[in-house]
Amino acid sequence: MFDLPDDPVSLRSFLERSPDFVALSDFTGKILYINPAGSELIGLEDVADIGQLSALELLTSDGLDLTDDIAAGLVSEGEWEATASCAIT
């Protein structure tokens, strides 16, 4: 079976074409990547500016309220995903 995360070229292509905001950060919160839809949404025109952003700067107030849950999920599971009951809008 094809596993998208194990194929960096396919994963990047998928992220680049996604109409949804997608950003990747390291565990310190430093943004490493924002897809084109996300860059357009926040008005980021220069890719060099990505390294100046923190994940916390991209969260809404509702998202900031979830940071403890997000951190706990990352530590215990290595991932965190918004669910319908806690979707960030």
Side-chain angles (χ1 to χ4, degrees), residues 47-85:
V47 188
D49 292 338
I50 289 173
Q52 306 302 316
L53 293 173
S54 164
L56 291 175
E57 294 175 272
L58 301 177
L59 294 175
T60 63
S61 59
D62 289 339
L64 288 171
D65 291 342
L66 295 172
T67 56
D68 288 340
D69 290 338
I70 293 169
L74 292 174
V75 169
S76 66
E77 304 295 324
E79 63 183 3
W80 181 87
E81 183 176 330
T83 60
S85 63

Side-chain angles (χ1 to χ4, degrees), residues 15-23 33-45 50 53 58:
L15 295 176
E16 294 285 325
R17 292 189 323 255
S18 175
D20 298 318
F21 180 98
V22 178
Y33 169 82
I34 299 176
N35 71 337
S39 293
E40 185 177 331
L41 182 67
I42 64 170
L44 184 68
E45 295 179 12
I50 289 173
L53 293 173
L58 301 177

